[in-house]
Amino acid sequence: QVQLVESGGGLVQPGGSLRLSCAASGSTFSIIATGWYRQAPGKERELVAGITSGGTNYADSVKGRFTISTDNAKNMANLQMNSLTPEDTAVYYCNIVALIGSGSYSNYWGQGTQVTVSS
């Protein structure tokens, strides 16, 4: 089993920045892919940014403003968010696809962290 703990959310003014972090822990696992998702009130959860060994991908709405990164040695992922707008307000979730000890792939979610962009 793998546990994900997110941190770094909060209230920020438009134009400001936040950095979200996601720490993974648990039994033997290897992270194959990491993603940050968000869900705003009344909307479906959407992929914001993803990263694998093959590279990164971003939602069009955040390209040039958000940067996803990982520290594989620490099993951590980060999402640097710059030039935030009120439309970025949502609960942000960390997600990983991991190869676990049994040799199977599993999908894990963090508990979510609130990001509010408001003046």
Side-chain angles (χ1 to χ4, degrees):
Q1 190 72 331
V2 178
Q3 294 80 41
L4 302 180
V5 177
E6 297 134 340
S7 59
L11 173 65
V12 64
Q13 292 187 341
S17 298
L18 281 175
R19 183 178 178 87
L20 305 182
S21 294
C22 174
S25 63
S27 55
T28 302
F29 65 96
S30 177
I31 297 175
I32 305 302
T34 301
W36 284 95
Y37 291 72
R38 68 185 180 188
Q39 188 166 19
K43 295 186 177 181
E44 294 186 355
R45 190 172 297 187
E46 63 172 348
L47 176 65
V48 175
I51 185 168
T52 67
S53 59
T56 58
N57 63 285
Y58 297 92
D60 288 342
S61 60
V62 307
K63 282 181 181 176
R65 300 188 299 123
F66 290 11
T67 303
I68 187 172
S69 62
T70 57
D71 184 336
N72 294 330
K74 297 181 179 179
N75 285 327
M76 290 195 67
N78 300 297
L79 184 68
Q80 178 66 42
M81 305 185 295
N82 299 327
S83 302
L84 287 162
T85 73
E87 288 68 37
D88 295 315
T89 296
V91 178
Y92 284 70
Y93 298 90
C94 177
N95 170 269
I96 68 167
V97 175
L99 177 64
I100 60 177
S102 64
S104 61
Y105 293 94
S106 290
N107 193 31
Y108 300 94
W109 291 92
Q111 80 284 0
T113 184
Q114 177 70 48
V115 171
T116 302
V117 185
S118 176
S119 56

